[in-house]
Amino acid sequence: MSKDVVRDIPLDQVRNIGIMAHIDAGKTTTTERILYYTGVNHKIGEVHDGAATMDWMEYEQQRGITITSAATTCYWHDKRINIIDTPGHVDFTIEVERSLRVLDGAVAVYCAVGGVQPQSETVWRQARKYNVPAVAFINKMDRVGADVEKAVEDIRTKLRANPVLLQLPIGCEDTFSGVIDLVKMKTITFEDDKGTTVVEADIPEDMAEAAELARLEMIEAIADHDEEIAEIFLMDEIPETDMLKASIRTLTLANTIVPVLCGSAFKNKGVQTLLDAVVDYLPSPLDIGGVTGKHPKTNAEIEHKASDEEPTTALAFKIFSDKYVDRLTYVRIYSGVIKKGMTLHNPRSGKKERIGKILRMYANKQEETDQAFAGEIVALVGVKLAKTGDTLCQMDKPIVLENMVFPDPVISIVIEPKSKADKDKLEGALKSLTDEDPTFQVSENEETGQTLISGMGELHLEIINERLVKEFNVSANTGNPMVAYREAVTAAAEGSEEFIREHGGKKLYAKIILKIEPKPRGYGVTVESKIPDGDVPQDYINEAIQAVKVQAKTGVVHGYSLIDFHCELIGGASSATDSTEAAFQAAASIALRDAVEKAGVIVLEPIMKLEIDSPEENTGDIIGDVSSRRGQVVEMKSDGIVARITATVPMAKLFRYTTDLRSMSKGRAVATIEPSHFEQVSGNINE
């Protein structure tokens, strides 16, 4: 590292965390309080007023939900906390996925009344996928029906995690006034109307016994995984506070336990102690250690340590179209330093990217800096070609980090410009939006010539449409949603094509014989060559294999992607004078069509997993409605007040479902919809 580089804060004092939760668990409200108490904001922004700092997009403020993950930086006890507030709505699950990919720790927010709700489970699975340690915050302790013990049990049973309660609430519902810290054995209350004055005091006598029992349970849970604590505990002694905190930190970093705190962000109680837990128990980049990738050419494994002295390695995890600087590329720097004006290499594209500006982000506000260090999350200006998941590194020290895998879109609608003037603008705007969002795709129906936009749900596409008008100044018409159906073969079959054509006075020749066989759902598409050596040059075979894959993607019979089959090229012939790559592409495509027509094709439709939380009195209407949509109820659980219904329903029958559900339940039921699997369309509908 050059001498002019000076890090303003040690790496072990940095925390990169995400705030994740089910929609309406109070995630953004919690983040707003964090920004207020850390001094970033001088007033508290409220979600219900449309004034939340982190929900800065107009569409978020109108709906009172988080749509895009917003990044910001704050400081607590001399430690820098980089925070990403992620969406809770399943349509924007990509924002959670890509944020967790680059974060070191997470705060999982749960509603004290609802406990672990459907999307809570989804984001928890995503966090486990990337081994992200977490602390849990049981929010809304002031609400009627708040039950911290039930929420903790939900974490244990539904998430299969190991929650350890570090705090007891003082009072509940409208009497909730603070917490008992079971590590320090002190009461903590939050004085004045904004809760800015934190007061520690001795535990009152009427709560002493309950606190003592809860503390013993906490120590016992820790002792199960820490031999030193276990020895002290078995000797009927109580470990020192510092020893307990060190053990909790070690076990949290190992994903062995989940520390649980409680409070009410809206009532300004418990957020400062949550911040203490973030700096005490969640990891720094040094705790996570180095990053491992592969050499783009040799595939050899490479490790770079979390250090400014190492070669520069960063992962682009989010692209955003900014009206002032055109394009922001959010990156997590794993090693080395990025300086303004330096050139980085993108191994995927093989292109160089020059860094024009480096921005530290405060939601939608920016602060320019000349350099950024290992462990930081910043936005870069000037990176033109990088996509989500690309690695940026030094040209002389190339490395490719593990890429991100994104779910396929499940719903499509037709879009067309309102005028000729809008046509070019629409193409450019859609290109920008697909760069931003890997779950948003644009395609053309070859049979109809219509442009289709595809996404993760109705709300997703609704927001895209609003952004086209308001951000890109494009007027477009949208048509009825079209479901992303699939095709699949039902039997094994052979197909062949001897391609003989004349084009521009030149004769073209290629011959391909292939065999296809159906595979189980989820298998995908595999193509291999069994053509005897010497019959066809390898370059032509490669083109034929690629053509089969392309033809499968664009559809063979109905124009839907052909999935879940294995194809073998078993024979072929070529001409030394008349064969071309294009001829073999055409021959392979036609041979595939021939085989598919002989094998027979079924149409598959996407089936969605529907999870509904509803008051008991509405369950009859809801189950009846699910049945009318060709759905099947898989499971129903109830605690006597709220019922959770799990069902599978065809995507085609779920348009406007959330609106219908609100009508059936007078706005009290909520639903989560996510892709489940593909299933054969029933006979009469297929016709």
Side-chain angles (χ1 to χ4, degrees):
M1 185 173 70
S2 58
K3 292 180 181 176
D4 62 326
V5 175
V6 179
R7 175 181 275 281
D8 60 344
I9 194 164
L11 192 55
D12 65 349
Q13 305 295 298
V14 175
R15 302 288 183 273
N16 293 312
I17 68 161
I19 314 284
M20 61 184 196
H22 184 89
I23 191 169
D24 206 32
K27 174 175 39 62
T28 299
T29 301
T30 302
T31 311
E32 290 300 317
R33 296 313 188 269
I34 288 173
L35 298 185
Y36 178 72
Y37 296 128
T38 56
V40 173
N41 288 350
H42 299 296
K43 69 172 194 169
I44 294 173
E46 299 291 10
V47 175
H48 60 268
D49 292 335
T53 304
M54 300 298 271
D55 285 353
W56 57 271
M57 295 176 83
E58 183 182 342
Y59 331 106
E60 296 176 308
Q61 293 168 352
Q62 288 169 350
R63 291 170 174 82
I65 63 169
T66 303
I67 288 167
T68 184
S69 50
T72 196
T73 301
C74 60
Y75 294 84
W76 186 252
H77 298 333
D78 299 323
K79 291 181 173 62
R80 176 186 288 155
I81 306 176
N82 298 314
I83 301 174
I84 296 182
D85 176 32
T86 63
H89 197 289
V90 71
D91 278 21
F92 308 101
T93 189
I94 174 61
E95 294 289 339
V96 185
E97 182 84 17
R98 59 179 164 195
S99 299
L100 287 170
R101 171 67 174 82
V102 298
L103 291 170
D104 301 326
V107 173
V109 180
Y110 302 102
C111 172
V113 182
V116 173
Q117 296 164 286
Q119 188 64 8
S120 309
E121 298 178 45
T122 302
V123 296
W124 185 260
R125 287 196 300 270
Q126 289 170 305
R128 291 283 73 83
K129 176 177 166 184
Y130 295 114
N131 292 315
V132 176
V135 298
F137 181 59
I138 310 298
N139 190 29
K140 302 192 177 184
M141 286 301 303
D142 59 303
R143 293 275 293 272
V144 174
D147 187 338
V148 73
E149 290 180 3
K150 178 183 175 295
V152 169
E153 186 57 26
D154 269 6
I155 295 171
R156 180 175 290 108
T157 56
K158 293 180 181 177
L159 305 182
R160 296 181 183 175
N162 185 16
V164 176
L165 194 62
L166 304 189
Q167 295 175 343
L168 274 187
I170 301 173
C172 196
E173 301 179 348
D174 58 352
T175 64
F176 176 68
S177 60
V179 297
I180 294 175
D181 185 325
L182 299 175
V183 179
K184 294 180 181 177
M185 284 303 274
K186 294 282 185 183
T187 63
I188 300 176
T189 53
F190 308 88
E191 308 297 327
D192 70 53
D193 60 337
K194 291 184 179 175
T196 47
T197 306
V198 181
V199 179
E200 276 192 19
D202 291 334
I203 298 168
E205 283 186 21
D206 63 335
M207 292 196 73
E209 186 179 347
E212 203 61 53
L213 283 171
R215 190 180 208 224
L216 287 174
E217 280 184 25
M218 177 191 75
I219 295 171
E220 191 173 355
I222 295 167
D224 285 344
H225 306 282
D226 185 318
E227 289 183 11
E228 194 175 357
I229 298 287
E231 282 181 26
I232 295 170
F233 189 60
L234 287 170
M235 293 167 66
D236 289 331
E237 295 178 12
I238 298 296
E240 295 289 332
T241 298
D242 287 346
M243 179 184 276
L244 273 176
K245 287 175 75 170
S247 180
I248 293 167
R249 176 176 176 78
T250 300
L251 297 176
T252 303
L253 299 194
N255 274 312
T256 304
I257 66 168
V258 179
V260 180
L261 299 93
C262 57
S264 169
F266 184 62
K267 295 292 186 181
N268 309 312
K269 292 176 172 58
V271 176
Q272 294 97 321
T273 52
L274 173 62
L275 279 164
D276 290 341
V278 166
V279 298
D280 287 344
Y281 305 131
L282 290 182
S284 73
L286 279 181
D287 294 310
I288 298 300
V291 64
T292 303
K294 292 188 175 179
H295 192 285
K297 291 184 179 174
T298 66
N299 225 27
E301 195 167 281
I302 303 167
E303 183 178 359
H304 289 165
K305 294 176 183 172
S307 165
D308 302 333
E309 308 287 345
E310 290 277 295
T312 300
T313 308
L315 184 76
F317 69 95
K318 180 179 169 75
I319 312 295
F320 188 75
S321 299
D322 185 278
K323 59 184 175 185
Y324 299 112
V325 295
D326 185 35
R327 193 177 198 259
L328 291 176
T329 303
Y330 286 79
V331 298
R332 161 69 190 265
I333 307 170
Y334 285 100
S335 63
V337 178
I338 293 181
K339 296 183 185 178
K340 181 179 176 180
M342 80 184 294
T343 299
L344 291 174
H345 172 60
N346 183 339
R348 180 194 59 79
S349 66
K351 304 291 185 183
K352 296 177 183 177
E353 299 276 14
R354 188 176 181 278
I355 311 304
K357 290 180 183 176
I358 304 169
L359 304 174
R360 286 204 177 101
M361 301 303 294
Y362 299 90
N364 63 329
K365 299 190 177 94
Q366 308 155 353
E367 177 186 277
E368 196 169 339
T369 182
D370 289 335
Q371 53 204 8
F373 305 90
E376 289 202 63
I377 292 173
V378 294
L380 305 179
V381 179
V383 177
K384 303 290 186 188
L385 301 172
K387 294 182 178 180
T388 299
D390 281 357
T391 304
L392 297 175
C393 58
Q394 292 177 200
M395 180 68 79
D396 60 338
K397 299 284 185 181
I399 183 173
V400 178
L401 303 180
E402 183 184 356
N403 209 335
M404 290 182 258
V405 178
F406 305 113
D408 290 330
V410 297
I411 181 174
S412 301
I413 61 173
V414 175
I415 190 167
E416 58 183 24
K418 284 189 175 179
S419 67
K420 275 191 175 181
D422 285 313
K423 187 174 186 296
D424 290 339
K425 284 199 294 183
L426 179 62
E427 288 178 6
L430 292 177
K431 168 71 167 61
S432 295
L433 291 168
T434 52
D435 284 348
E436 278 186 31
D437 184 350
T439 61
F440 173 65
Q441 294 180 8
V442 180
S443 59
E444 186 173 303
N445 186 317
E446 291 185 356
E447 292 181 12
T448 64
Q450 292 176 312
T451 299
L452 304 179
I453 56 174
S454 307
M456 298 307 295
E458 288 177 84
L459 181 60
H460 188 193
L461 294 183
E462 189 181 311
I463 297 296
I464 291 284
N465 207 26
E466 286 186 32
R467 291 188 64 191
L468 284 172
V469 174
K470 291 174 181 172
E471 290 178 37
F472 297 93
N473 198 26
V474 175
S475 296
N477 294 317
T478 53
N480 288 332
M482 297 202 311
V483 177
Y485 292 99
R486 298 287 187 268
E487 299 175 7
V489 291
T490 57
E494 285 189 14
S496 63
E497 169 65 12
E498 189 169 23
F499 186 83
I500 304 171
R501 300 283 191 282
E502 276 201 22
H503 182 71
K506 178 174 169 52
K507 190 177 177 184
L508 300 177
Y509 179 81
K511 183 178 180 181
I512 285 290
I513 305 168
L514 54 77
K515 180 172 69 178
I516 60 170
E517 60 177 316
K519 290 293 182 181
R521 294 292 155 262
Y523 175 85
V525 175
T526 53
V527 188
E528 65 175 329
S529 173
K530 293 288 182 70
I531 297 174
D533 291 344
D535 283 9
V536 177
Q538 188 60 46
D539 286 350
Y540 293 154
I541 291 174
N542 292 342
E543 290 299 324
I545 289 173
Q546 192 59 32
V548 169
K549 291 178 179 177
V550 170
Q551 185 65 57
K553 190 79 176 169
T554 55
V556 179
V557 177
H558 302 289
Y560 307 126
S561 294
L562 184 69
I563 61 169
D564 300 334
F565 72 94
H566 176 66
C567 175
E568 288 181 1
L569 308 185
I570 56 175
S574 64
S575 162
T577 56
D578 299 335
S579 288
T580 64
E581 290 179 350
F584 271 91
Q585 289 170 357
S589 294
I590 297 168
L592 178 65
R593 270 193 231 121
D594 181 38
V596 168
E597 285 171 7
K598 291 174 183 173
V601 164
I602 55 171
V603 176
L604 306 172
E605 63 178 338
I607 304 297
M608 310 301 286
K609 180 183 177 186
L610 179 62
E611 288 195 332
I612 308 155
D613 284 346
S614 165
E616 277 281 357
E617 63 262 32
N618 300 119
T619 55
D621 290 340
I622 290 170
I623 289 171
D625 181 68
V626 165
S627 299
S628 73
R629 296 172 187 266
R630 295 195 285 122
Q632 292 186 327
V633 173
V634 177
E635 185 180 47
M636 184 173 133
K637 292 181 179 176
S638 174
D639 61 6
I641 302 170
V642 176
R644 174 165 297 172
I645 301 163
T646 304
T648 54
V649 185
M651 176 80 228
K653 292 294 183 180
L654 284 177
F655 297 123
R656 307 293 172 201
Y657 179 73
T658 50
T659 305
D660 295 342
L661 181 65
R662 288 190 198 109
S663 299
M664 279 184 279
S665 64
K666 297 184 176 62
R668 296 165 68 200
V670 294
T672 302
I673 306 170
E674 59 184 55
S676 176
H677 62 282
F678 280 90
E679 210 171 82
Q680 183 176 354
V681 175
S682 60
N684 58 331
I685 297 167
N686 191 27
E687 287 302 315

